[in-house]
Amino acid sequence: MSRISIALLAAAALLHLPAHAQQAPPGAPAYDAALAQSLGASEQGMRPYVLVLLKTGSKPVPKGADRDRMFAGHFANMARLAKEKKLVIAGPLDGVDGVRGMFVFATDSLDEARALVATDPVIVQGEMVAAYHKFFSTAALMAVNDIHHRIVKK
């Protein structure tokens, strides 16, 4: 998964859902019970997630081979978690106030999210620390990784 550059899609999905999102637009396909179930959707098409904000940690790794390996491991870890359908979306942020990235995990358990984040080299090395937040959003986010692979050229 190349840098998982779908943070903008995530922001659009998470922040710009209209209040009437539960109502299908005119001409939309009928409710798909099998799809809803496969995505873990409630009757309103929603599901729980954990949002993780990655902030600058107290032990920055200096530029060089060790830092390059750490970030290669970071990206490999994200790819593994996405393949396992645990990591829904991820991406870099603008760094304002030290907030450098985000993960969204397909769980409602903060403990599970902490265990998943603990496998990431940027956390292990102290380059970044994590803040955890439970939230509800559209279950359609669960399909983002499958769609993403269809729009990546290389």
Side-chain angles (χ1 to χ4, degrees), residues 21 23-29:
Q23 297 177 352

Side-chain angles (χ1 to χ4, degrees), residues 71-82:
F71 275 103
H74 171 65
F75 294 117
N77 192 58
M78 288 188 292
R80 176 185 62 82
L81 292 171

Side-chain angles (χ1 to χ4, degrees), residues 5 26 31 42 51 55 57 63 76-78 81 86-87 93 100 112 123 130 146 153:
S5 60
Y31 172 73
S42 69
L51 168 68
K55 301 176 183 180
K63 289 184 181 183
N77 192 58
M78 288 188 292
L81 292 171
K86 294 178 188 226
L87 181 63
L93 297 177
R100 295 168 53 185
E112 181 180 359
I123 298 296
D146 293 333
K153 273 191 168 183

Side-chain angles (χ1 to χ4, degrees), residues 102-126:
M102 54 80 84
F103 295 146
V104 172
F105 288 108
T107 183
D108 64 350
S109 167
L110 293 174
D111 289 338
E112 181 180 359
R114 285 184 184 99
L116 295 170
V117 171
T119 66
D120 197 297
V122 300
I123 298 296
V124 172
Q125 297 295 319

Side-chain angles (χ1 to χ4, degrees), residues 9 26 38 62 97 110 112 138-139 143:
L9 173 61
S38 74
D97 297 327
L110 293 174
E112 181 180 359
T138 176

Side-chain angles (χ1 to χ4, degrees), residues 3-149:
R3 298 202 98 208
I4 311 178
S5 60
I6 54 177
L8 292 177
L9 173 61
L14 296 173
L15 301 176
H16 299 318
L17 283 175
H20 62 279
Q22 291 93 359
Q23 297 177 352
Y31 172 73
D32 185 331
L35 177 60
Q37 183 178 9
S38 74
L39 299 175
S42 69
E43 288 184 5
Q44 294 77 30
M46 307 288 279
R47 67 166 291 145
Y49 299 95
V50 173
L51 168 68
V52 179
L53 297 176
L54 300 172
K55 301 176 183 180
T56 298
S58 62
K59 300 177 185 174
V61 176
K63 289 184 181 183
D66 287 342
R67 184 178 182 82
D68 292 346
R69 277 190 294 278
M70 176 186 66
F71 275 103
H74 171 65
F75 294 117
N77 192 58
M78 288 188 292
R80 176 185 62 82
L81 292 171
K83 186 176 181 180
E84 293 173 4
K85 304 271 188 213
K86 294 178 188 226
L87 181 63
V88 179
I89 57 175
L93 297 177
D94 56 16
V96 172
D97 297 327
V99 182
R100 295 168 53 185
M102 54 80 84
F103 295 146
V104 172
F105 288 108
T107 183
D108 64 350
S109 167
L110 293 174
D111 289 338
E112 181 180 359
R114 285 184 184 99
L116 295 170
V117 171
T119 66
D120 197 297
V122 300
I123 298 296
V124 172
Q125 297 295 319
E127 174 75 23
M128 296 186 201
V129 295
Y132 302 83
H133 305 274
K134 288 185 174 189
F135 77 103
F136 242 65
S137 189
T138 176
L141 288 177
M142 295 299 296
V144 169
N145 280 313
D146 293 333
I147 294 168
H148 180 72
H149 294 293

